[in-house]
Amino acid sequence: MEYSVQLTFREQWLDERLKFNDFNGKIKYLTLTDAARVWMPDLFFSNEKEGHFHNIIMPNVYIRIFPYGSVLYSIRISLTLSCPMNLKLYPLDRQVCSLRMASYGWTTNDLVFLWKDGDPVQVVKNLHLPRFTLEKFLTDYCNSKTNTGEYSCLKVDLLFKREFSYYLIQIYIPCCMLVIVSWVSFWLDQSAVPARVSLGVTTLLTMATQTSGINASLPPVSYTKAIDVWTGVCLTFVFGALLEFALVNYASRSDMHRENMKKQRAACEALDHGPDPGDLMEDGNTTFPMVRQCEIHMQQSRPNCCKTWLSKFPTRSKRIDVISRITFPLVFALFNLIYWSTYLFREEAEDQ
């Protein structure tokens, strides 16, 4: 919520008391190094947080007095200025940062600041910012009224566009890779418990570390940023892949239980057709309950109707893995389509 700038500040005013004879053009101007010897406007930077002058090797300041009483004041300053930012579209955002200059004590009845006609703000041609591009700047007036009067004010609005390539390489692509790596567990055998658990936990912890590192470099805000949506959904996909293995493991144990029930049912059917009716009458207390129990299990174990392509996979755990192999990439691709179309269109709408 702040930015730093190094600038050469110039202001010019007319003080008729300082007129002097130039001896037919022999004296172009007089130079002063002590600003206390002439009257100066009481200008200050209203959104300044801290700043300092430059004094190496000599103080970077000069005052020129021209024969007709015009005074030119120039000084080199480094400032850190506040810049309230709206980070809802971060890192696909544009920010407007202002530089405000106002009179501290003189009202507009005594002092009025005006921009110089023709190119009042000059930016160096080789200006390079690591994460932003300065698209344009606008000059305007920002006079303020208080209980003590109206004060003259000038401002420069700087429009910065955030460079997205850095965040694409450092955040978006690594998060996509972590999500895709978490899908590898769907292709591992369901009996490979250590491998699938290690893969799921490692990707989950890496994704959580990536998310905390992103938020550590940003100010805490009460609204959701675009990067929060991305990392939150990626974290959900990685966590979902870990939960999918828990479901597969449960289904695998359920399949084993069903297989044991089938073996028991086969044994019961063999027992039901094997002995003589006389034997059943002689030992009805032991044989009949077993036959009855087998009939109950046969009724409860009727297979449900499955789709044709799922019938190729005999176990439910394998079917869950196969469905996850298709569902997870499709849903993630759909999320990418919605995410990029939403935020890119919102960025274009704000530009217009």
Side-chain angles (χ1 to χ4, degrees):
M1 299 291 183
E2 65 182 25
Y3 72 104
S4 299
V5 60
Q6 186 180 105
L7 57 90
T8 301
F9 174 76
R10 302 183 185 95
E11 58 181 344
Q12 192 169 7
W13 66 93
L14 183 62
D15 191 342
E16 295 182 353
R17 298 172 299 177
L18 299 179
K19 289 182 180 180
F20 63 91
N21 186 6
D22 62 349
F23 297 100
N24 297 323
K26 293 182 179 179
I27 301 176
K28 293 183 179 180
Y29 54 81
L30 300 178
T31 303
L32 296 181
T33 56
D34 186 3
R37 292 182 175 273
V38 296
W39 177 90
M40 294 191 61
D42 57 346
L43 181 140
F44 77 107
F45 297 93
S46 58
N47 59 333
E48 173 206 352
K49 300 181 73 173
E50 61 180 30
H52 66 272
F53 300 128
H54 293 263
N55 297 315
I56 300 175
I57 297 177
M58 293 291 291
N60 298 162
V61 57
Y62 67 78
I63 301 174
R64 291 176 181 174
I65 303 176
F66 295 89
Y68 52 90
S70 178
V71 181
L72 174 63
Y73 175 69
S74 177
I75 188 169
R76 187 162 164 255
I77 312 173
S78 289
L79 299 171
T80 299
L81 305 158
S82 65
C83 178
M85 298 181 182
N86 186 349
L87 299 174
K88 289 184 178 180
L89 297 181
Y90 175 88
L92 300 166
D93 57 335
R94 283 178 167 84
Q95 301 296 339
V96 178
C97 294
S98 298
L99 175 64
R100 295 174 176 266
M101 300 161 285
S103 173
Y104 189 80
W106 299 98
T107 64
T108 53
N109 296 326
D110 303 312
L111 177 63
V112 176
F113 289 118
L114 297 174
W115 286 111
K116 184 179 180 180
D117 294 335
D119 199 16
V121 178
Q122 301 172 356
V123 180
V124 294
K125 295 181 180 179
N126 58 345
L127 178 65
H128 175 72
L129 303 175
R131 297 190 185 181
F132 286 93
T133 300
L134 179 59
E135 290 191 328
K136 60 181 179 179
F137 54 87
L138 302 172
T139 58
D140 200 357
Y141 296 90
C142 54
N143 293 2
S144 60
K145 291 183 179 180
T146 65
N147 293 334
T148 56
E150 182 179 1
Y151 297 89
S152 182
C153 175
L154 303 176
K155 72 172 181 176
V156 184
D157 290 331
L158 305 171
L159 178 59
F160 294 103
K161 179 182 178 182
R162 199 181 299 271
E163 289 290 346
F164 181 68
S165 57
Y166 169 82
Y167 301 93
L168 180 65
I169 297 173
Q170 297 293 327
I171 296 177
Y172 284 90
I173 292 179
C175 288
C176 278
M177 293 175 64
L178 285 173
V179 172
I180 294 173
V181 167
S182 68
W183 298 343
V184 175
S185 64
F186 303 153
W187 299 86
L188 298 179
D189 188 75
Q190 57 196 17
S191 61
V193 177
R196 297 188 68 162
V197 171
S198 300
L199 184 62
V201 172
T202 302
T203 52
L204 183 63
L205 292 177
T206 307
M207 191 67 219
T209 304
Q210 179 89 344
T211 303
S212 61
I214 295 169
N215 292 327
S217 61
L218 293 173
V221 293
S222 59
Y223 48 82
T224 303
K225 304 179 289 293
I227 195 69
D228 293 335
V229 176
W230 175 263
T231 55
V233 172
C234 290
L235 189 62
T236 302
F237 271 95
V238 174
F239 184 66
L242 186 60
L243 291 183
E244 188 270 350
F245 171 66
L247 182 61
V248 166
N249 187 265
Y250 173 78
S252 177
R253 288 184 282 110
S254 178
D255 291 336
M256 293 178 61
H257 179 71
R258 291 176 62 188
E259 193 67 27
N260 293 334
M261 290 298 100
K262 286 182 180 180
K263 292 179 181 179
Q264 185 179 357
R265 182 178 63 186
C268 291
E269 290 176 352
L271 185 61
D272 186 19
H273 293 88
D276 296 331
D279 295 337
L280 293 175
M281 295 299 295
E282 293 176 0
D283 195 13
N285 294 332
T286 57
T287 307
F288 178 75
M290 183 179 295
V291 174
R292 180 64 178 169
Q293 183 179 6
C294 291
E295 291 177 354
I296 294 173
H297 283 299
M298 289 174 63
Q299 293 176 359
Q300 294 178 350
S301 301
R302 292 175 183 175
N304 297 325
C305 295
C306 299
K307 296 181 180 180
T308 305
W309 69 279
L310 284 177
S311 62
K312 301 178 181 179
F313 308 102
T315 60
R316 289 188 298 175
S317 57
K318 189 64 176 177
R319 293 172 188 171
I320 294 173
D321 271 341
V322 172
I323 293 174
S324 299
R325 294 173 190 174
I326 301 173
T327 305
F328 273 71
L330 286 179
V331 176
F332 189 66
L334 179 62
F335 161 71
N336 273 271
L337 179 63
I338 296 174
Y339 179 88
W340 294 113
S341 60
T342 299
Y343 284 103
L344 289 178
F345 287 154
R346 286 181 62 181
E347 183 185 8
E348 292 177 0
E350 287 192 355
D351 292 345
Q352 297 175 356

